[in-house]
Amino acid sequence: MDQSKIRNFCIVAHIDHGKSTLADRIIEKTGLLTDREMQDQVLDNMELERERGITIKAQTVRVIYKAKDGEEYVFNLIDTPGHVDFNYEVSRSLAACDGAILVVDAAQGIEAQTLANVYLALDHDLDVFPVINKIDLPSAQPDFVKNEIEDVIGIEAQDAPLISAKNGIGIEEVLEQIVAKIPAPTGDPEAPLQALIFDSVYDPYKGVIIFCRIKEGRVRKGTRIRMMATGAEEEVVEVGYFGAGQFIPCDELSAGMVGYMTASIKNVKDTTVGDTVTDADRPCAEPLPGYKKVQSMVYCGLYPADGAKYPDLRDALEKLQLNDASLNYEPETSIALGFGFRCGFLGLLHLEIIQERLEREYNLDLVTTAPGVIYKVHKTNGEVIELTNPSNLPDPSEIDYMEEPVVSAEIMVTTEFIGSIMELCQERRGRYLGMDYIEGTRALLKYELPLNEIIYDFFDALKSRSRGYASFDYDMKGYERSELVKLDILINKEEVDALSFIVHKDSAYERGRKMCEKLKEEIPRHLFEIPIQAAVGGKVIARETVKAMRKDVLAKCYGGDITRKKKLLEKQKEGKKRMRQVGNVEIPQKAFMSVLKLDDK
Amino acid sequence: MFSLYIHIPFCVRKCLYCDFLSDAYSTELRAAYAEALNAEIKREAGFYRNRRVDTIFFGGGTPTLLTEEQLEELMETVWKNFDVAEDAEISMEMNPGTADWKKLVRMRQLGINRLSIGLQAAEDELLQKLGRIHTWKQFEEAYGMARAVGFRNINVDIMSALPGQKLADYEHTLQAVLSFEPEHISAYSLILEEGTPFYEQRESLALPEEEEERQMYDLTEKLLRAEGYHRYEISNYAKDGYECRHNLAYWRRTDYAGFGLGASSFISGVRFQNTRSMEQYLMGKRSKEQVEPLSREDAMEEFMFLGMRCMAGVSAEDFRQQFGTEMESVYGKVLTELEKQGLTAREGDRFFLTKRGIDVSNYVFAQFLL
């Protein structure tokens, strides 16, 4: 394969600016195979793949484009996750590219995430060219956006293609600019193998499928490979590249190419994103730079709604982990919720995705406890504990001090909302670092925020206080000493461990009060009165009461329709099933989660 | 013991709280329905050849909206196709303003011996709010006529917890009804059912507070007892010997066959329901659908939560006879717990609701689900 005819690139954009639509158009306007490959009847192979029903992750795809210069080019379009939780994955995907298309909405202009992604791309020495999308919108102002791109990001934008991905306008121009502006890969096919893992999936037939970019050297069936970070070694069974929706095997992958390899690897953990694959018999001298072990940022307890489903939950987590090395979990028990797992996630979105997959793909009903971050507890005896479960907080007398993780956040907002967003950041214990005005109407606010203040509902609050206009991006900064306390919730005088969480002492009262109010709404009335209390260090700081039930009668007789009557009772019983018994109080499972959303503005 | 239920799904206008299977109608539809109903009874009666009918109940809707001729044909079909006991209780629901003197006389002649009059409240303002079609005065007239033509067993339906209803209003309704000395009074509290206009307006209805609602409930019991009515079921009060035998059949789980749109049947431990689609029903194909055979557990649950609706409660001996196992072994724990909470009591081998248990009977019943 002629390296000069390869273009490895990705598309970066803010959510909703049209990234996937543009990707679809690119795939549509190009072909899947070169003329030569057509003649080699690779089609048969594809058929086979199709029968086996293997699909690859969306959007990482190889397409063939016949350019106006008459030459055929191979485009490898590499997907990047679009969310701040997956910044590390984004950075590894970018490292697999040589260039990037920046999609900017002609009406909305640049957003915080756009900036973050572009900087990430520029950091990786990618050549970035902009594309202005949605020019068919009445509110489109392409010239204004072009200037904004040049002023704010500092990349040339005057000849940016003006397109509408939705309506297929201007796509040819994008394809030509990919050829012209994105550099061909370099790398010596004869050098020792050096390949970057940017993703991996688990396939029940083939084992782990490694998505990689070959930086140096070549790899083919039979090559004995070694993952440099994990040390795992296996023999390659198959190499190939990505068709739209299929894996297409080929003879070899060489420097500059993007593709996959399989090697009967059974555990995704052996093939961590960012690791370097080399030839075990002829290893390269150095791994590629930038590898880091992914760290969970957010922890929460996951419990099966039906205690008997605990083994099912364990199996499901095991299976999910095969495909998602950044998920980790360990068993824990809660007095209120029984047996479950403490799980670590990259962020709240990651948590939500996993939760949804468990519920949808594995048919599990889950109870989730309040998400928390990892606190560092410095004990008086010099020991440092990394605390992921509030229940494990040592006795206050044993604690010297505690630290919490802090992030640097950038919030892009139109000027009219600066006030309310600053207020929000202030409420969340933000430390103001500065503000840059962009184009007169918008500002980029810079704050340092404790991570535990943004994992709950910060994003929702941000959106609602800016009518959806604010955008937000953050980076881990490190740990800082903080005055933290454990807030306990007592229901009918009994402490409910699954509702405890760590909070800054200044927010404890406010949070405790809101928790009590929320729980009062969620807990159904019982035959007796139920006090709900929030306490810090054994001292009650807030209280609400669920009044006793006085009357609950089903008076009517539906003309002998007993089935209907029974259905009503069953509904009540069904509701009961979704309850957790704590002492003699039944708490609906959703109460454990509803307390996460306490921002009421 | 065997009962028949016959459903007439027509009303002049649907009340705002009502979610029964019933609606306004045209004369053509009414005629077609009457025909289909007769056909269904004839078709299905063969299944019940050897059963003597002890109670019949015409419910709705408003069964008295059938014409005299339609009523006559319907009753004839019943008489011809069933062996009806001489002392059978034959009830028909009616709304004030839907039966004149002539029709009432005809009903008596056809063998109907119990009338159930839907009044709900004695205040015209409240009646209007509920979307009722009649006034208090029309009730007085209907009641007077019914007595005059010889009905000796009359029930009056009333409701508490109505929008805007005060305790004093409700007391007035009770007193007004008592002054007529009906043999039977059904006192329901309003339940907002999904799909009704009231349910949609629930936020703006100004319903009485729970505590006031409970006081209305208490008042019913107190006033009616003083006047010689005893509560034999959660919502039903009767003078001695006038308990509605048909209703008791439901709670005691004896067999009943239902005819008409959406009617329920319970035969030999299996529950059926007729189609709820008028179009389907008029086509007259197999009408029994939604067959629900009850498991032993289902039957035990029903035994408990239906039986407990009656103030006499359930008997451990009956349970043993029906299920061949001790009530104690299935519900011992539940009953002990309920007793401890003061919701049920026991006397001899019977378990029944306490006054507090009646107030939260729904909660109590849910405990019996296995």
Side-chain angles (χ1 to χ4, degrees):
Chain A
M1 171 71 58
D2 179 359
Q3 269 188 3
S4 70
K5 298 290 185 297
I6 299 178
R7 297 291 182 272
N8 298 320
F9 63 97
C10 58
I11 305 177
V12 295
H14 184 72
I15 296 170
D16 293 337
H17 280 196
K19 185 173 108 170
S20 340
T21 323
L22 178 58
D24 288 347
R25 289 289 166 275
I26 290 175
I27 294 166
E28 244 174 59
K29 296 263 177 182
T30 53
L32 286 176
L33 299 170
T34 62
D35 285 342
R36 195 179 61 82
E37 284 165 344
M38 293 272 197
Q39 282 151 22
D40 287 353
Q41 293 177 329
V42 182
L43 268 171
D44 288 353
N45 280 330
M46 282 175 58
E47 222 71 65
L48 194 71
E49 296 298 329
R50 210 174 287 143
E51 272 166 33
R52 280 200 245 159
I54 302 163
T55 51
I56 64 167
K57 281 193 185 175
Q59 311 297 7
T60 294
V61 64
R62 189 191 89 140
V63 294
I64 308 301
Y65 174 59
K66 196 157 192 169
K68 286 185 179 145
D69 62 12
E71 299 281 346
E72 272 187 340
Y73 289 86
V74 172
F75 287 180
N76 286 304
L77 169 53
I78 296 164
D79 189 33
T80 58
H83 192 273
V84 54
D85 279 6
F86 303 105
N87 262 347
Y88 177 64
E89 280 72 6
V90 175
S91 87
R92 292 305 84 197
S93 295
L94 292 175
C97 302
D98 303 300
I101 305 174
L102 167 66
V103 181
V104 184
D105 185 308
Q108 307 244 334
I110 294 170
E111 312 254 4
Q113 215 183 38
T114 320
L115 268 187
N117 286 335
V118 171
Y119 288 143
L120 260 178
L122 294 174
D123 250 13
H124 284 87
D125 289 331
L126 301 192
D127 287 2
V128 180
F129 76 85
V131 162
I132 301 187
N133 191 19
K134 305 195 188 177
I135 51 146
D136 52 334
L137 289 183
S139 53
Q141 32 184 355
D143 290 330
F144 177 82
V145 173
K146 278 181 187 174
N147 290 333
E148 195 178 53
I149 293 170
E150 293 193 336
D151 291 353
V152 179
I153 305 177
I155 57 174
E156 167 67 30
Q158 289 315 316
D159 63 345
L162 302 181
I163 71 163
S164 162
K166 196 173 147 208
N167 296 317
I169 301 166
I171 307 302
E172 284 291 329
E173 181 55 22
V174 177
L175 295 171
E176 284 298 320
Q177 288 207 6
I178 291 170
V179 173
K181 295 196 167 173
I182 290 179
T186 52
D188 178 4
E190 305 311 326
L193 174 65
Q194 201 181 31
L196 172 74
I197 303 179
F198 64 88
D199 201 355
S200 61
V201 296
Y202 180 79
D203 177 273
Y205 299 101
K206 300 185 172 191
V208 177
I209 301 175
I210 302 168
F211 292 19
C212 60
R213 158 76 189 269
I214 313 294
K215 293 284 189 181
E216 304 282 345
R218 59 181 82 235
V219 59
R220 48 172 49 235
K221 186 178 169 185
T223 310
R224 206 169 164 73
I225 51 167
R226 180 192 302 154
M227 320 302 150
M228 296 184 77
T230 63
E233 280 189 23
E234 281 297 339
E235 194 167 291
V236 172
V237 174
E238 183 180 309
V239 299
Y241 47 80
F242 308 106
Q246 296 93 8
F247 291 114
I248 302 175
C250 65
D251 293 337
E252 82 169 15
L253 296 174
S254 61
M257 293 172 80
V258 169
Y260 72 90
M261 51 179 123
T262 67
S264 6
I265 303 162
K266 286 286 165 249
N267 196 339
V268 179
K269 290 229 147 170
D270 288 334
T271 59
T272 50
V273 168
D275 197 358
T276 303
V277 182
T278 192
D279 188 331
D281 300 326
R282 192 179 158 230
C284 58
E286 293 279 328
L288 292 159
Y291 172 77
K292 55 180 190 194
K293 201 162 176 278
V294 183
Q295 286 253 310
S296 298
M297 305 264 274
V298 175
Y299 280 79
C300 77
L302 286 184
Y303 291 82
D306 173 359
K309 292 275 175 72
Y310 174 78
D312 298 13
L313 176 58
R314 187 188 52 217
D315 291 351
L317 283 169
E318 256 170 40
K319 285 195 184 115
L320 276 185
Q321 202 185 34
L322 281 176
N323 249 330
D324 186 347
S326 50
L327 164 70
N328 65 61
Y329 60 92
E330 58 185 61
E332 69 171 7
T333 47
S334 149
I335 300 159
L337 299 174
F339 291 103
F341 295 93
R342 176 93 352 200
C343 303
F345 306 94
L346 298 173
L348 207 58
L349 179 81
H350 188 213
L351 184 162
E352 279 168 14
I353 290 172
I354 295 292
Q355 191 186 336
E356 195 176 313
R357 290 189 65 185
L358 287 169
E359 289 184 340
R360 219 191 298 176
E361 295 171 31
Y362 296 91
N363 223 352
L364 290 163
D365 252 339
L366 295 177
V367 184
T368 317
T369 66
V373 301
I374 308 174
Y375 298 96
K376 288 189 178 160
V377 183
H378 294 258
K379 291 174 68 175
T380 45
N381 65 5
E383 201 187 332
V384 183
I385 304 175
E386 297 210 334
L387 184 78
T388 57
N389 182 347
S391 306
N392 299 337
L393 186 72
D395 190 85
S397 64
E398 294 173 30
I399 300 172
D400 184 5
Y401 65 94
M402 287 171 72
E403 289 181 308
E404 66 177 331
V406 173
V407 302
S408 327
E410 289 189 334
I411 300 163
M412 176 95 72
V413 64
T414 45
T415 43
E416 56 186 311
F417 297 113
I418 289 178
S420 55
I421 297 304
M422 287 179 80
E423 194 189 0
L424 171 67
C425 291
Q426 229 58 53
E427 285 167 20
R428 302 300 175 102
R429 298 190 282 130
R431 190 186 302 138
Y432 175 76
L433 294 181
M435 175 165 63
D436 297 332
Y437 278 94
I438 296 164
E439 288 293 319
T441 57
R442 287 193 300 167
L444 188 67
L445 283 165
K446 292 179 181 166
Y447 269 93
E448 270 174 19
L449 285 156
L451 183 60
N452 85 352
E453 294 286 345
I454 59 175
I455 56 170
Y456 294 94
D457 55 356
F458 184 76
F459 199 66
D460 292 345
L462 195 68
K463 287 284 173 195
S464 71
R465 292 193 196 186
S466 65
R467 286 199 225 119
Y469 282 119
S471 58
F472 166 62
D473 198 58
Y474 68 81
D475 253 335
M476 264 305 283
K477 182 176 166 279
Y479 274 79
E480 275 181 20
R481 192 165 166 157
S482 177
E483 296 288 322
L484 299 163
V485 293
K486 183 162 88 120
L487 183 69
D488 294 316
I489 299 292
L490 289 84
I491 294 179
N492 207 20
K493 313 272 183 197
E494 284 203 46
E495 190 181 313
V496 183
D497 59 353
L499 287 171
S500 295
F501 59 96
I502 307 281
V503 63
H504 189 266
K505 75 171 181 19
D506 293 344
S507 324
Y509 169 72
E510 185 70 6
R511 288 289 282 280
R513 190 179 56 78
K514 284 184 177 167
M515 286 276 280
C516 291
E517 282 170 7
K518 195 84 181 182
L519 285 167
K520 184 190 173 183
E521 283 168 28
E522 294 290 338
I523 295 175
R525 294 196 297 166
H526 284 53
L527 296 171
F528 45 88
E529 191 177 281
I530 305 166
I532 300 172
Q533 297 161 305
V536 169
K539 286 205 181 70
V540 173
I541 57 170
R543 177 191 163 123
E544 291 284 340
T545 307
V546 179
K547 281 199 199 142
M549 175 167 69
R550 302 290 288 162
K551 181 168 176 291
D552 182 15
V553 184
L554 240 189
K556 261 200 270 183
C557 155
Y558 303 93
D561 187 353
I562 304 302
T563 310
R564 170 162 178 182
K565 212 163 209 101
K566 188 164 162 191
K567 272 185 191 142
L568 286 168
L569 291 175
E570 261 164 5
K571 220 163 140 187
Q572 204 161 31
K573 182 182 164 191
E574 205 39 49
K576 226 178 114 122
K577 250 206 220 158
R578 290 209 193 97
M579 304 266 192
R580 288 296 176 145
Q581 184 97 24
V582 176
N584 50 358
V585 178
E586 280 160 353
I587 306 174
Q589 300 188 344
K590 71 185 211 318
F592 291 95
M593 289 171 268
S594 65
V595 296
L596 308 183
K597 306 224 159 162
L598 297 174
D599 188 80
D600 44 12
K601 288 202 184 165
Chain B
M1 178 78 186
F2 182 54
S3 305
L4 304 181
Y5 174 79
I6 297 169
H7 189 68
I8 311 297
F10 301 127
C11 45
V12 175
R13 184 179 75 212
K14 212 165 161 81
C15 301
L16 298 171
Y17 56 85
C18 174
D19 76 330
F20 285 120
L21 191 53
S22 174
D23 221 330
Y25 60 98
S26 65
T27 48
E28 292 78 20
L29 179 64
R30 183 176 59 182
Y33 182 79
E35 195 182 315
L37 184 57
N38 282 306
E40 186 199 6
I41 295 171
K42 285 176 199 159
R43 193 171 62 229
E44 308 250 326
F47 296 128
Y48 313 109
R49 237 188 314 268
N50 305 317
R51 312 289 303 263
R52 171 159 299 178
V53 176
D54 300 293
T55 74
I56 305 176
F57 196 100
F58 293 88
T62 309
T64 43
L65 286 176
L66 293 184
T67 63
E68 273 173 57
E69 292 70 29
Q70 285 163 343
L71 281 175
E72 188 168 335
E73 196 190 345
L74 183 57
M75 280 311 289
E76 235 164 63
T77 306
V78 172
W79 289 111
K80 270 191 195 151
N81 289 280
F82 283 98
D83 172 16
V84 182
E86 231 163 89
D87 65 343
E89 172 194 280
I90 306 179
S91 312
M92 185 173 281
E93 289 182 332
M94 74 171 282
N95 272 336
T98 60
D100 55 12
W101 179 270
K102 234 174 110 226
K103 197 182 270 183
L104 283 166
V105 170
R106 195 85 198 100
M107 282 158 57
R108 276 297 290 143
Q109 289 171 340
L110 292 169
I112 291 157
N113 54 28
R114 184 176 181 270
L115 263 194
S116 176
I117 306 177
L119 167 66
Q120 317 313 354
E123 294 76 22
D124 287 344
E125 199 189 325
L126 268 177
L127 290 173
Q128 209 182 347
K129 248 189 220 169
L130 295 175
R132 301 287 298 173
I133 56 164
H134 58 86
T135 59
W136 166 253
K137 193 153 179 7
Q138 282 173 302
F139 166 79
E140 284 185 331
E141 286 165 11
Y143 192 96
M145 281 193 292
R147 279 292 194 223
V149 304
F151 281 100
R152 294 285 163 265
N153 185 356
I154 297 183
N155 165 61
V156 178
D157 278 347
I158 56 172
M159 286 173 103
S160 58
L162 299 174
Q165 189 182 41
K166 297 275 163 275
L167 188 62
D169 297 330
Y170 183 64
E171 182 169 0
H172 169 246
T173 293
L174 281 170
Q175 298 289 11
V177 171
L178 283 172
S179 71
F180 282 87
E181 299 179 20
E183 284 69 27
H184 191 287
I185 294 174
S186 297
Y188 302 114
S189 52
L190 175 71
I191 292 175
L192 298 182
E193 302 282 359
E194 258 176 83
T196 61
F198 266 16
Y199 186 81
E200 302 307 320
Q201 307 156 18
R202 60 191 179 279
E203 305 296 338
S204 58
L205 277 184
L207 295 169
E209 292 289 315
E210 190 184 40
E211 197 45 43
E212 191 165 16
E213 192 185 332
R214 206 175 57 89
Q215 286 170 6
M216 293 182 189
Y217 225 62
D218 286 353
L219 185 69
T220 317
E221 218 273 327
K222 213 175 88 193
L223 278 184
L224 295 193
R225 184 162 26 121
E227 295 294 322
Y229 295 83
H230 69 274
R231 184 185 219 170
Y232 67 97
E233 194 264 350
I234 288 181
S235 314
N236 286 293
Y237 299 79
K239 290 190 172 165
D240 284 347
Y242 286 97
E243 297 86 359
C244 175
R245 284 155 59 197
H246 185 85
N247 263 337
L248 284 172
Y250 294 152
W251 315 135
R252 291 179 181 159
R253 307 183 64 245
T254 55
D255 286 3
Y256 53 91
F259 300 99
L261 190 67
S264 304
S265 307
F266 179 57
I267 309 289
S268 315
V270 184
R271 298 204 176 275
F272 308 87
Q273 206 172 33
N274 277 3
T275 176
R276 294 175 66 85
S277 143
M278 180 63 90
E279 200 185 335
Q280 292 276 330
Y281 185 76
L282 293 181
M283 290 194 325
K285 301 235 171 76
R286 241 188 86 240
S287 50
K288 298 273 178 293
E289 54 176 41
Q290 294 195 26
V291 181
E292 191 200 356
L294 300 181
S295 67
R296 200 171 114 93
E297 283 195 347
D298 291 333
M300 287 179 180
E301 292 171 359
E302 286 191 5
F303 178 94
M304 296 304 283
F305 77 73
L306 294 176
M308 283 284 215
R309 291 193 66 94
C310 300
M311 296 304 107
V314 294
S315 133
E317 177 56 29
D318 289 352
F319 192 93
R320 185 183 312 120
Q321 279 185 9
Q322 282 195 34
F323 302 108
T325 184
E326 295 297 325
M327 188 190 276
E328 191 67 26
S329 68
V330 183
Y331 289 115
K333 236 175 101 186
V334 172
L335 286 166
T336 309
E337 184 59 30
L338 288 171
E339 219 172 320
K340 223 168 67 191
Q341 293 174 304
L343 302 177
T344 61
R346 68 175 85 195
E347 227 176 83
D349 86 323
R350 300 199 78 88
F351 294 84
F352 48 88
L353 294 174
T354 60
K355 191 174 157 298
R356 172 89 174 112
I358 295 172
D359 284 344
V360 294
S361 49
N362 235 7
Y363 168 84
V364 175
F365 298 155
Q367 311 307 309
F368 292 120
L369 297 187
L370 294 169

